Amino acid sequence: MDFWRVPLDAEEVIVSRGIVHFVEDRCKGCGYCIQFCPKKILQTSTRFNKKSYHPPEVTKPEECVNCHFCEIICPELAIYSVEAPGSEPGEAQQPDDAGDTCCPPVK
Amino acid sequence: MAVQAKKAPIEPKHPLDDLIRTDRMPHIWCPGCGIGTVFSSCLHAMLASGIDLDKTVMVSGIGCSGRGAGYAKVDSFHTTHGRAIPFATGMKVANPDLHMIVFSGDGDLFAIGGNHFIHAARRNIDMTVICINNLNYGMTGGQVAATTPSLARTTTTPLGNPDSPFNLPLLAYASGATYVARWTMLHTREVTDSIQTCLTRKGFSFVEVLAPCPVNYGRRNKERPLDTLKMYQDKTIIKNGANPAELGVDFKKRVVLGTFVDVERPTFTETYDKLYHKE
């Protein structure tokens, strides 16, 4: 997200990191999560699920801020995000490490 | 089956999996239907409000939204057409400790069940009524409903609806509801907060949630589901405490959302006990 000026405390704020998970067989491909993700990190995949819909996939896993909006807008209860390990306030942030475990490939 | 990445531990469950009957998933609602979002908001609100879920009952009537009760893993009842509110009234009066949630659609609550709604609001039965307003009778094939906007096309009004729709918040306010709010399914956080408030307060609480019906309403009115959500984003305005008489649903102008009424009044059970169960 672009700001026209950088907030004064931008360096002190710890942005939480999330990992997006899918229950792919529940997805019906409405695209609400893709359209309304504030970081625009989801896209339609080319895979098919059990009901022949294309479930979404994460393009930039390291950019998820764990806002849970995909989780609450999803009408199918098919997507959710959890806090990435090591990103709770007070702990040292390890964004490089978290990128590795993000979004396990789900078939 | 899910293939686990090397470093990932056992995949966590969906946070609502404890509250839904997972064996019935995926549910019957069409792709792009807003009922699922409202259902999930309702479950999130139930978890967040901290009410005893063993004493929470979800009641629904007939219609697409009526399937909601069947998917919730609390005591739930799928009742006859329009009779969700009288059913819930009976349960509440028999066992005042219960938290009643009526989860139903506009056709069920306001067309065939309209009379029950106004009287439950008048008597101030302590319950939460969530109405998913998708502007038509979705399950039966998209016929014109009591909430269909003027000039909208449906299967039974192919040239446009000649009638005026109900203004649901005004109806609830005039009947005596103690909490009246309206949101769209895009405003999920507000819907969740609103339902959470309803669950923790006393009195008849009514939340109307506008939701798209892409298959039956949207298709005949040239609205794809994402267009409808875009419209919800662009054409709505939040105005808490607005005059209920000015809350018509007309997306050519602005649709007003917000919490319109929040007052306190003795509930039916309290007044009844005071008069007839003096101890």
Side-chain angles (χ1 to χ4, degrees):
Chain A
M1 202 181 288
D2 293 328
F3 294 107
W4 62 274
R5 74 171 178 85
V6 180
L8 294 175
D9 58 350
E11 297 196 347
E12 295 159 27
V13 173
I14 299 173
V15 179
S16 64
R17 294 278 159 222
I19 304 177
V20 184
H21 292 273
F22 302 100
V23 190
E24 289 202 348
D25 286 338
R26 283 186 197 164
C27 179
K28 288 180 192 153
C30 64
Y32 289 172
C33 53
I34 299 168
Q35 184 71 25
F36 290 99
C37 173
K39 298 299 250 183
K40 300 275 176 244
I41 59 165
L42 296 168
Q43 67 172 27
T44 315
S45 68
T46 49
R47 290 190 306 280
F48 288 100
N49 68 6
K50 215 191 267 176
K51 297 211 169 225
S52 312
Y53 292 107
H54 293 289
E57 65 184 4
V58 183
T59 49
K60 288 172 269 180
E62 66 286 351
E63 286 192 18
C64 176
V65 292
N66 201 24
C67 71
H68 295 288
F69 197 72
C70 53
E71 180 183 318
I72 59 174
I73 195 80
C74 178
E76 315 294 331
L77 302 111
I79 182 170
Y80 57 100
S81 67
V82 293
E83 185 92 32
S87 72
E88 289 88 3
E91 285 183 44
Q93 269 195 298
Q94 300 160 321
D96 298 332
D97 197 41
D100 195 48
T101 54
C102 272
C103 311
V106 188
K107 204 164 64 176
Chain B
M1 284 304 291
V3 179
Q4 301 292 335
K6 238 187 283 170
K7 278 176 103 179
I10 302 160
E11 191 154 332
K13 283 198 303 181
H14 191 283
L16 294 177
D17 269 0
D18 291 336
L19 263 182
I20 53 173
R21 298 181 201 255
T22 43
D23 52 324
R24 295 192 175 191
M25 292 284 147
H27 50 59
I28 61 149
W29 297 316
C30 310
C33 174
I35 301 171
T37 306
V38 186
F39 179 65
S40 119
S41 300
C42 178
L43 296 183
H44 273 294
M46 279 157 71
L47 276 183
S49 66
I51 55 172
D52 185 358
L53 294 179
D54 288 339
K55 288 190 175 170
T56 305
V57 183
M58 208 178 204
V59 185
S60 65
I62 299 295
C64 292
S65 329
R67 302 297 289 246
Y71 295 124
K73 209 175 181 178
V74 292
D75 289 338
S76 54
F77 295 89
H78 189 190
T79 65
T80 44
H81 200 0
R83 313 301 181 237
I85 288 181
F87 194 92
T89 305
M91 290 190 74
K92 180 72 190 176
V93 172
N95 186 354
D97 293 339
L98 297 177
H99 296 277
M100 304 304 306
I101 302 172
V102 175
F103 185 92
S104 207
D106 55 302
D108 183 70
L109 285 173
F110 289 96
I112 189 167
N115 202 5
H116 299 301
F117 178 88
I118 57 176
H119 289 287
R122 172 180 65 84
R123 300 157 101 186
N124 200 18
I125 314 277
D126 183 12
M127 63 169 76
T128 303
V129 178
I130 302 162
C131 171
I132 291 110
N133 184 356
N134 58 6
L135 311 177
N136 76 125
Y137 291 134
M139 183 171 264
T140 50
Q143 289 85 357
V144 66
T147 46
T148 309
S150 290
L151 306 179
R153 287 159 196 260
T154 63
T155 34
T156 43
T157 55
L159 300 177
N161 178 21
D163 297 330
S164 302
F166 260 137
N167 176 348
L168 301 185
L170 176 63
L171 179 70
Y173 166 71
S175 319
T178 54
Y179 182 97
V180 180
R182 173 200 275 159
W183 301 104
T184 74
M185 59 74 76
L186 184 64
H187 299 75
T188 29
R189 291 200 199 276
E190 286 88 346
V191 176
T192 312
D193 287 350
S194 213
I195 297 174
Q196 194 181 331
T197 314
C198 294
L199 290 175
T200 45
R201 74 193 292 289
K202 271 197 184 325
F204 188 91
S205 317
F206 171 65
V207 184
E208 176 193 3
V209 189
L210 295 170
C213 177
V215 171
N216 274 325
Y217 184 82
R219 183 159 51 102
R220 298 194 171 87
N221 290 285
K222 306 276 181 289
E223 279 175 24
R224 277 176 300 188
L226 282 173
D227 300 341
T228 316
L229 262 67
K230 194 86 193 131
M231 202 169 70
Y232 287 167
Q233 197 171 15
D234 297 339
K235 296 275 182 175
T236 56
I237 181 166
I238 296 177
K239 198 170 158 193
N240 290 320
N243 179 4
E246 295 160 5
L247 299 176
V249 177
D250 182 2
F251 279 102
K252 291 196 185 68
K253 298 178 205 154
R254 294 271 164 161
V255 173
V256 182
L257 310 176
T259 306
F260 309 122
V261 180
D262 190 354
V263 293
E264 278 194 22
R265 190 154 80 79
T267 64
F268 171 77
T269 331
E270 283 169 3
T271 327
Y272 189 85
D273 283 350
K274 213 184 275 175
L275 289 173
Y276 292 95
H277 291 284
K278 286 180 205 160
E279 285 175 29

